[in-house]
Every structure is written in C-alpha cells, then in structure tokens.
Amino acid sequence: LALNGTNYEIDQRLYIGLNGIVDTPGFLLPIIFFTYFGRKSSGIALYTVSGIAMLVITVLPQGWPIMCATLFGRLTGIAAYGIAMFYTVELFPTESRNTAVGSCLTMSQFGPLLAPYIVDILGKRFWWMPTVLCGCLALLGAFFLIFVPETRGAPTPSMISKARDRKSFLTF
C-alpha cells in the first residue's frame, strides 16, 4: 500500500508521511481489541474492514477519498497483522512455538518482497489493481481465520498432543 501511492493522483510526500503516521495507531489498536474482544473475532473484523476499505477505492474519485480509504485500510491491516502474530504465539504449543513463529514471519515477508514488482507491473496497467489485490488477500485471510480456534482465556498448550484437543471450527 505504501508503494502504490505513485499510482494515485495525490501529493506523494504527504501520502508517504501519513503512511508512517498511521503505523503507530495500527500497532496499538490490537491492545484495545484484546481488552474487549477475542483474538479470532478481532482478527476477522480487522481483516474484513481492511479488505473492504481497500476494495472500495475502485468506486471513489481520485484524490483525498482514495488516500483516506487506503490509509484506513493500511491502519486496520497493520492491526490485523499484529493480531495474527500475537495469535501465532498463543496458538502453537511451547515445543514448536519458535519454529511456528519463525515460519510465519518468513512467509509474511513474501508480500513485501513481491510488492515492488506487483506495483510496477500491475500498477502500470491498472492503477487500482495492487490495492484491490491486497484487499482480496485481506478478505481471504479473514475467511481462513474462521477455521482457527479461539485462544482468549485458553491455557497455552505445552505439547502438540494438548494443542490437538482444542475446538477449531466456527467458535468465536
């Protein structure tokens, strides 16, 4: 989302500056959600809102409306990513937690690795395509999160055999 600013008809310096400012509340937002809601429902809500905010740019006029929708999508996307990382730590048992978190962090870096190419290649053809792709992937993440068990209030499993006992489907 930060790299796709070149495809919008907005002031690039302002857009990049606001992208940096949006990061801080995005990292703090999960703390508020964890206080009142579960990890699963918070993640689903934030991924869904982020995806919709990114998809809505296709119907907005160029300029401030697109910039605001993109920044809101970035804010909620950063918060959803924070919840996903925290969720990963709680979800896996102690004996495999380091491997699981390392694998998740490694996989999460494929997006930033591919982002410049996606923006350059797709952004030249259709200015809205990189952001819409991010929005679709956020909605896909929200869908897959439905199948993950809720960890709020549950003890962290210490062994893989104890982790298998958790309920996993459609529990909020």
Side-chain angles (χ1 to χ4, degrees):
L1 293 174
L3 297 175
N4 199 34
T6 57
N7 294 324
Y8 305 142
E9 295 174 8
I10 54 174
D11 182 15
Q12 299 303 307
R13 291 179 296 271
L14 177 65
Y15 181 72
I16 295 299
L18 289 174
N19 264 303
I21 291 170
V22 161
D23 284 356
T24 303
F27 287 122
L28 296 175
L29 198 58
I31 297 169
I32 297 167
F33 273 84
F34 287 158
T35 304
Y36 300 106
F37 308 106
R39 280 80 165 123
K40 184 175 183 175
S41 58
S42 298
I44 291 171
L46 286 170
Y47 274 123
T48 303
V49 169
S50 178
I52 291 170
M54 288 185 255
L55 291 176
V56 79
I57 68 149
T58 58
V59 297
L60 294 175
Q62 282 284 350
W64 280 96
I66 285 183
M67 185 168 71
C68 290
T70 304
L71 289 173
F72 185 71
R74 180 175 171 86
L75 171 94
T76 54
I78 288 171
Y81 178 75
I83 287 176
M85 286 298 105
F86 190 81
Y87 207 4
T88 302
V89 171
E90 288 186 340
L91 192 61
F92 289 97
T94 305
E95 63 185 14
S96 63
R97 188 171 298 133
N98 287 338
T99 304
V101 171
S103 298
C104 289
L105 287 171
T106 302
M107 290 297 133
S108 72
Q109 294 307 310
F110 279 117
L113 180 72
L114 296 175
Y117 302 108
I118 291 170
V119 168
D120 286 344
I121 294 168
L122 293 179
K124 287 181 182 176
R125 300 198 71 167
F126 305 103
W127 63 268
W128 46 266
M129 187 59 102
T131 306
V132 167
L133 178 64
C134 287
C136 290
L137 291 174
L139 291 175
L140 186 65
F143 172 73
F144 283 134
L145 201 52
I146 291 172
F147 303 105
V148 179
E150 175 61 69
T151 60
R152 183 180 187 193
T156 304
S158 58
M159 301 174 66
I160 293 175
S161 60
K162 291 181 181 177
R164 289 185 190 139
D165 297 336
R166 289 185 172 173
K167 293 186 289 183
S168 64
F169 187 70
L170 297 176
T171 56
F172 290 95

